[in-house]
Amino acid sequence: MTLIAPHITAFLQQRLPVERRASVNTCDSYAYAFKLLFTYASRRLKVSPSQLHLEQLGPDLIVGFLNYLETERHNGPSSRNTRLAAIKSFMHFMEYRAPTALEHVRRVLAVPSKKADSRLVRHLTIEEMQCILDAPVPNRRDGIRDRAMLHVCFAAGLRVSELVGLRLDDIQVGPHPSVLVHGKGRRERCLPLWRETTSALRAWMAVRGQAPFPELFLNARGEPMSRAGFEYILRKHARAAASRCPSLNNRRVSPHLLRHTCALRILEATKDLRKVSLWLGHAHMQTTEIYTRADPSLKLEALEAVTPPTLRSGRYKATDALIASLTPSALASCPHRANQRRELSTEGQTKSRTNGNAGKRESSRVTQAPGGSDLLRRIAERRGCGRVRIQSALTGKEVHVICDNVSSHKTDAVQTFLADHPKVSIHYTPTIRHG
């Protein structure tokens, strides 16, 4: 059995910072991953973290730890894969320090990573970004600082670690203002600044005062600004900007969202992916290609350059089965239509009696159905006098005029016509005789 405590100490203190020369952020990320792993293993195995052995961290426990991150800590596949990468890096380190555990190490290294969804890059519109930049009130010291931080973060497309790591000697506010960024992977890049961004930086440097720290941005206690501190400031101003820009109410505004917004603005202005990669400090162009999928202007240009295919013209023709389902006998079997016909028949009788008392002419319309013929028969039995007009229910054109006066034998003629033409509607205009 191999105690893991001395090996993890050598990995975090010697292997990463000295042999690999990993950045401080990488070392902190790996240390936090093992803190979570040892806490989970200690609770599951009921052993203190200092007494854990390498052989106890088997593939089953590692998979259970990864599932714990997703289910209980609600981490996504990307965070899960980041923790797994830290564990595999340590296992590669143990291949040379514990040769007797090579088979165990090989089984842990065989744990696969999980595929993550490839989603479109989320970004802010120009109006939303401007509202956030205008949110800090520059009549106080913290307002001047927040305005400078937001402008620099957006204008240079900085990561949050790059922003809080800026030093006073990295800023040049002379005739050609620029900022020296110490980026990821120990890559440096020098970026020019807008005049508005330079003015915001000058205002902050004038009120910053003397401090024993070389960092450009300080918190309320006069100490270097942390990543969590800037995230809090950004969320605060995003909530304030939501009062003027309601679309920000349902948006989760993070520092990286400002970086994505800057990248898309540069891509829209230059149409050059290489310039975007240089501005953001990407090591590979493949990383920058995610912005081409989110930029709609490039797709519109491709759409306009291609000749679209012609559209074949034609009209829809109903099938025999559809026509058969619309016959009066088929419609009569529907309970809803039967209730509708009874209500329509009752309404037609009420209108005839009301118009007879008032001595006025009013047209009543009856959709073709068995109830329509029954209405005409009842009008004839009451010796109704009026004009019957039949129209097509599909086109609205008049197809037949039966008579000017309704009688029983003329009602039979109407019924015969309706039997041959089911898709029609009946219009009856009563004429009231006085006396």
Side-chain angles (χ1 to χ4, degrees):
M1 301 291 284
T2 305
L3 275 176
I4 204 171
H7 298 289
I8 196 65
T9 302
F11 177 73
L12 295 176
Q13 294 183 356
Q14 181 69 24
R15 175 70 170 178
L16 290 179
V18 179
E19 298 179 12
R20 297 295 300 274
R21 204 172 173 229
S23 65
V24 177
N25 294 329
T26 302
C27 295
D28 292 343
S29 176
Y30 277 41
Y32 186 67
F34 285 108
K35 176 183 177 182
L36 295 176
L37 174 62
F38 294 158
T39 302
Y40 172 80
S42 176
R43 185 170 64 250
R44 178 171 173 177
L45 301 176
K46 302 187 184 313
V47 178
S48 62
S50 61
Q51 299 299 319
L52 287 173
H53 291 79
L54 179 65
E55 290 76 10
Q56 292 177 312
L57 302 181
D60 295 337
L61 187 139
I62 299 299
V63 172
F65 167 67
L66 298 176
N67 294 333
Y68 155 79
L69 293 178
E70 291 187 287
T71 55
E72 297 189 25
R73 294 185 62 87
H74 306 289
N75 292 157
S78 298
S79 299
R80 174 191 187 275
N81 294 339
T82 301
R83 308 305 180 202
L84 180 59
I87 296 172
K88 288 186 176 181
S89 179
F90 174 70
M91 290 299 173
H92 282 299
F93 172 70
M94 291 300 298
E95 287 180 330
Y96 301 95
R97 296 177 64 92
T100 57
L102 283 178
E103 178 61 24
H104 175 77
V105 171
R106 186 187 64 84
R107 288 189 287 114
V108 174
L109 292 176
V111 176
S113 59
K114 178 174 285 189
K115 290 185 177 181
D117 297 334
S118 181
R119 300 177 180 176
L120 291 178
V121 174
R122 293 176 173 83
H123 62 281
L124 299 174
T125 63
I126 297 178
E127 294 77 11
E128 292 172 341
M129 190 68 245
Q130 188 61 53
C131 288
I132 293 177
L133 295 177
D134 295 339
V137 181
N139 55 8
R140 297 175 53 185
R141 184 176 183 273
D142 57 347
I144 297 175
R145 179 204 60 193
D146 296 349
R147 183 184 63 174
M149 292 180 69
L150 293 176
H151 272 273
V152 173
C153 184
F154 169 66
L158 300 180
R159 302 178 179 93
V160 62
S161 59
E162 297 172 347
L163 176 67
V164 299
L166 288 178
R167 298 170 178 262
L168 279 173
D169 52 4
D170 294 333
I171 305 298
Q172 299 294 330
V173 292
H176 303 285
S178 62
V179 56
L180 180 63
V181 182
H182 304 277
K184 187 178 180 181
R186 300 186 182 276
R187 292 184 298 273
E188 294 183 351
R189 63 186 189 275
C190 185
L191 301 175
L193 296 175
W194 290 322
R195 287 177 297 180
E196 293 78 4
T197 307
T198 306
S199 300
L201 281 174
R202 284 199 182 102
W204 162 242
M205 295 171 69
V207 300
R208 178 183 180 273
Q210 298 295 327
F213 302 100
E215 282 76 14
L216 175 62
F217 297 109
L218 307 176
N219 58 20
R221 296 185 298 272
E223 300 173 353
M225 179 70 64
S226 64
R227 289 181 293 178
F230 176 69
E231 291 174 358
Y232 168 78
I233 291 172
L234 178 59
R235 288 195 300 267
K236 179 181 69 173
H237 292 303
R239 289 194 297 267
S243 60
R244 292 185 299 164
C245 187
S247 60
L248 289 171
N249 286 320
N250 299 324
R251 301 295 300 273
R252 181 180 178 272
V253 182
S254 64
H256 222 67
L257 191 64
L258 272 60
R259 177 177 169 87
H260 292 327
T261 305
C262 172
L264 284 171
R265 297 289 83 79
I266 297 174
L267 183 59
E268 290 177 0
T270 63
K271 308 297 182 184
D272 191 345
L273 200 62
R274 183 174 56 88
K275 294 180 181 179
V276 179
S277 180
L278 291 174
W279 196 271
L280 298 182
H282 287 162
H284 306 285
M285 284 286 295
Q286 185 178 3
T287 307
T288 319
E289 290 178 356
I290 60 174
Y291 298 108
T292 59
R293 294 188 287 114
D295 185 13
S297 61
L298 299 177
K299 302 180 183 67
L300 291 175
E301 291 178 2
L303 185 65
E304 294 174 356
V306 178
T307 304
T310 59
L311 183 65
R312 179 180 175 181
S313 60
R315 297 182 63 183
Y316 172 74
K317 184 177 180 181
T319 61
D320 296 339
L322 178 60
I323 295 176
S325 65
L326 298 176
T327 57
S329 58
L331 295 175
S333 61
C334 178
H336 174 71
R337 295 298 299 271
N339 295 334
Q340 187 179 19
R341 288 195 298 270
R342 285 194 295 270
E343 295 174 0
L344 188 60
S345 177
T346 305
E347 181 182 357
Q349 295 179 20
T350 305
K351 285 185 177 181
S352 298
R353 289 193 297 268
T354 304
N355 293 338
N357 297 330
K360 299 180 181 178
R361 293 171 56 90
E362 182 177 342
S363 174
S364 96
R365 179 178 180 274
V366 182
T367 302
Q368 162 55 7
S373 301
D374 295 341
L375 176 59
L376 291 176
R377 184 180 296 106
R378 283 192 292 271
I379 293 173
E381 291 174 354
R382 295 173 61 88
R383 294 185 181 181
C385 182
R387 185 172 183 271
V388 178
R389 182 167 52 88
I390 301 177
Q391 284 185 332
S392 170
L394 296 177
T395 64
K397 296 181 179 179
E398 185 172 291
V399 297
H400 195 64
V401 177
I402 298 296
C403 56
D404 288 335
N405 295 313
V406 181
S407 61
S408 59
H409 68 278
K410 291 180 180 179
T411 303
D412 296 337
V414 172
Q415 292 176 340
T416 303
F417 182 83
L418 295 180
D420 298 333
H421 302 80
K423 298 294 292 182
V424 296
S425 59
I426 306 170
H427 294 260
Y428 169 63
T429 304
T431 304
I432 305 303
R433 293 176 294 185
H434 300 279

